Each structure stands twice: as structure tokens, then as C-alpha cells.
Amino acid sequence: MKGKKILVLLLVLLLTATLFACGNNSGNDGGGTTPDAEETWPAEGAQIRLVITHGVGGSVDTAARGIAPYLEKYLGVTVVCENMEGASGRKAMKYVYEAEPDGYTIVVSAHPSRLIGEMMYPDEAGYSMRDFAKLGSWSKGDVRAIIAKTGSDYDTLDKILAAGETRKLKCAGGGGVGSTSQLQQVYLKDIVGINTDFIPYDSTAEVLNAVLGNEVQFGLQPLSSALRASADGQVTIVAIHAEERSDRCPDVPTLKELGYDGVVIENMDCAYAPPGTPDYIVQKYAEAIRKAFDDPEFLEWADANNVFIHYTSPEELQAETEQAYLDIEAVLPRLMEDIK
């Protein structure tokens, strides 16, 4: 009888130890995954959904479709791009924020636009840029530009200022309300003194169409998009928000040299995964992005599309995000006032 009790006790202890071990290896926080899970991700035959926050043909779409082939190449699985427009990019961000943190659904968007939208509309946004798993960035230094139809009454800054003396001008910006374009427009109003109203569009492609179609007097875009738009001569880059002239367009002045300091703005194209995505998945994405920089085809794509390539690690992107919260907090009241 005593022997049976000892046997039962040993079985209970063995079962308890097994359950404890299983509990420690469950979860998606990156700290309790088994070696097998790390080695088998991504699974053979799996498919990654790369959600794009804005429409086809815009700067975010260009950036996402530019990096997608290299994620596919270096992760070894199919990557499918999906444009999910709406709410100035916040719809797609919220969708991925709430997705399973298994690495198979990620989102690409521009920094700091989505952070601006989150801070302006925290209840509607339903996500925190601080909490997303940062996968990395492949571009940086894409400063903002002002564009106008070539030969129009608005293709120099002096012309824009003069026209604004008699009426309010329409200014088109991609990314919608709560975007870097809106921040750029606030700076142009407050620091440069342009008399303008912000007309939001979903993408830089739509901004270009609005400028060429005379729906607006001028438009706001990242310099990479402005360079593509001006390639055929129909559009003129009026000025850029930068410390110094760009070697991509050396004849285009900076607002700083025109006498307006404090209006330097630049974009980054970044990839994010849902909160709780295991660290080993984050690092595999980061490694794939980093490998693209050694790939001649990626470099050729970047040069052809005037993409300002720069590798930013997940850790560096997290630091960029924390700093952006501080920077945007300072101008948030002005952004909210601008839309009233």
C-alpha cells in the first residue's frame, strides 16, 4: 500500500513538472518560444500579407512594393502586397495592430505620419506606435518638398506668397489629416506665412493629379515623390524642407536659405508587426531588410525611384519613435487647431 502511494506521488510530481514546462514555453512575447518554433519560422508554403496604409502609386505604396521582393527573397516565402486605404492610414495600422502576432501580417507606412494621426485621434486610431513591433526601415532623409505646375502662377515661393496676399490658396497633401503633409502645411502657414488651406488626399499620386488638374495651387510631397513627379517637366519643385540642397536636385532651394528656418521635415519608410510578435521573428525581418542593402537589384531600384536608402534597425526605430512623440507633442495643439 505504501508503495502505491509513493508511485501516485511520483506521477503527480511528473505531471506537474510537465505542465509547468509547457506553460513556460507558451505565449508570443518572444521570451518563451521553443527552438523548433524559431527554426521553422516562416513555415514552408506560408504567405506574408504586407498591408500598405495608402493607395497605389503613392510614396508609401512605392516603398512597400520596393522592399517586398527582398523580404520574399531572404525570408523564402511569398509576400503579397495589399493596399488598405482609409482614415489617413489609421485603418490599416489598427488592422495590423489587432492581428495575430505570428509574423504573417505586417504593415508598411511612413514615419512619423501614423504617429501624428495617433496623437491627433487617439480614440479613433485604436493603436499605439510605441507598442508595435518595429521591423526596421530602409529609407531616411526623404525631406519634404513643395511642388507646383510648371509655368503656373505658383511655381516659385515668391509667386505663392504674392498670390496668397489676395486670397487663400489650396494646398494638396498626401496622407490625409493627421499626416506629415498636414504638419508641413502648418509650418508653411506659421513660419513661412503662406495663406493656405490644407486639402487632404490619400496618396502622393493623387496630390500630383490635383496639381496638374488645377484643383489646387500647389502640393506637398516627400522629395522622392516630387523627383519622380517632376521628371517629365510638367511639375516644378519649388523648395525643400532641408538643412542644405539635395544633390538629387541641386538647383532647388531650401526654405532655410530662402530665410525660413525651423521647417526641416523628413520621412522614413518603415515596417511594423503586431505587438507581442516574438523577437526571433522581428530579427529575421530585420536581417532580410539589411540583406537588401547588399543586393545590387535593390540598389538599382532605389536609384531609379530616387529613394533615400538608409538602414534603421528595430532598436533604432524604437528610439526614433520615442523621440517623435516628444517632437509632435510640442506642435499637437497647433495641428488640432488647424482642422477646426
Side-chain angles (χ1 to χ4, degrees), residues 93-133:
M93 297 304 294
K94 183 179 181 181
Y95 177 83
V96 174
Y97 190 79
E98 296 174 345
E100 287 295 320
D102 54 12
Y104 295 115
T105 303
I106 66 171
V107 62
V108 166
S109 197
H111 171 85
S113 274
R114 304 294 74 75
L115 186 146
I116 296 171
E118 173 204 334
M119 294 180 72
M120 290 181 68
Y121 303 101
D123 294 335
E124 175 195 311
Y127 62 82
S128 166
M129 293 305 301
R130 180 178 280 116
D131 295 341
F132 271 104

Side-chain angles (χ1 to χ4, degrees), residues 185-194 255 259-264:
Q185 185 256 2
V186 166
Y187 282 156
L188 290 176
K189 288 175 71 172
D190 293 358
I191 298 176
V192 181
I194 298 177
L255 286 172
Y260 306 100
D261 209 348
V263 285
V264 175

Side-chain angles (χ1 to χ4, degrees), residues 146-164 169 192 194 217-219 235-240 251-253 255 258 260:
I146 305 169
I147 64 169
K149 189 174 182 179
T150 301
S152 69
D153 293 335
Y154 317 99
D155 61 3
T156 70
L157 186 62
D158 284 343
K159 287 182 180 180
I160 291 175
L161 288 168
L169 307 179
V192 181
I194 298 177
Q217 280 70 57
F218 63 97
V235 164
T236 294
I237 304 176
V238 174
I240 59 174
D251 295 331
V252 176
L255 286 172
L258 294 174
Y260 306 100

Side-chain angles (χ1 to χ4, degrees), residues 64-256:
R65 294 179 187 276
I67 198 64
Y70 304 97
L71 297 179
E72 189 170 86
K73 181 177 182 179
Y74 295 115
L75 291 174
V77 293
T78 302
V79 175
V80 178
C81 294
E82 176 183 338
N83 297 84
M84 187 179 291
E85 304 172 44
S88 300
R90 296 186 293 277
K91 177 181 177 181
M93 297 304 294
K94 183 179 181 181
Y95 177 83
V96 174
Y97 190 79
E98 296 174 345
E100 287 295 320
D102 54 12
Y104 295 115
T105 303
I106 66 171
V107 62
V108 166
S109 197
H111 171 85
S113 274
R114 304 294 74 75
L115 186 146
I116 296 171
E118 173 204 334
M119 294 180 72
M120 290 181 68
Y121 303 101
D123 294 335
E124 175 195 311
Y127 62 82
S128 166
M129 293 305 301
R130 180 178 280 116
D131 295 341
F132 271 104
K134 315 300 187 297
L135 305 181
S137 171
W138 50 101
S139 74
K140 189 177 183 181
D142 195 0
V143 297
R144 303 293 300 186
I146 305 169
I147 64 169
K149 189 174 182 179
T150 301
S152 69
D153 293 335
Y154 317 99
D155 61 3
T156 70
L157 186 62
D158 284 343
K159 287 182 180 180
I160 291 175
L161 288 168
E165 291 179 359
T166 58
R167 68 188 190 283
K168 185 161 282 190
L169 307 179
K170 292 181 180 179
C171 160
V177 176
S179 66
T180 312
S181 290
Q182 189 192 357
L183 175 64
Q184 181 183 1
Q185 185 256 2
V186 166
Y187 282 156
L188 290 176
K189 288 175 71 172
D190 293 358
I191 298 176
V192 181
I194 298 177
N195 184 17
T196 181
D197 273 338
F198 181 66
I199 310 299
Y201 289 83
D202 182 71
S203 69
T204 53
E206 292 176 288
V207 170
L208 175 60
N209 290 334
V211 169
L212 292 176
N214 300 312
E215 297 173 19
V216 297
Q217 280 70 57
F218 63 97
L220 308 177
Q221 292 188 333
L223 180 55
S224 58
S225 297
L227 289 167
R228 292 191 291 271
S230 63
D232 62 3
Q234 294 187 76
V235 164
T236 294
I237 304 176
V238 174
I240 59 174
H241 296 242
E243 289 288 348
E244 56 187 28
R245 293 195 182 201
S246 171
D247 58 5
R248 309 282 182 100
C249 51
D251 295 331
V252 176
T254 69
L255 286 172
K256 183 176 181 178

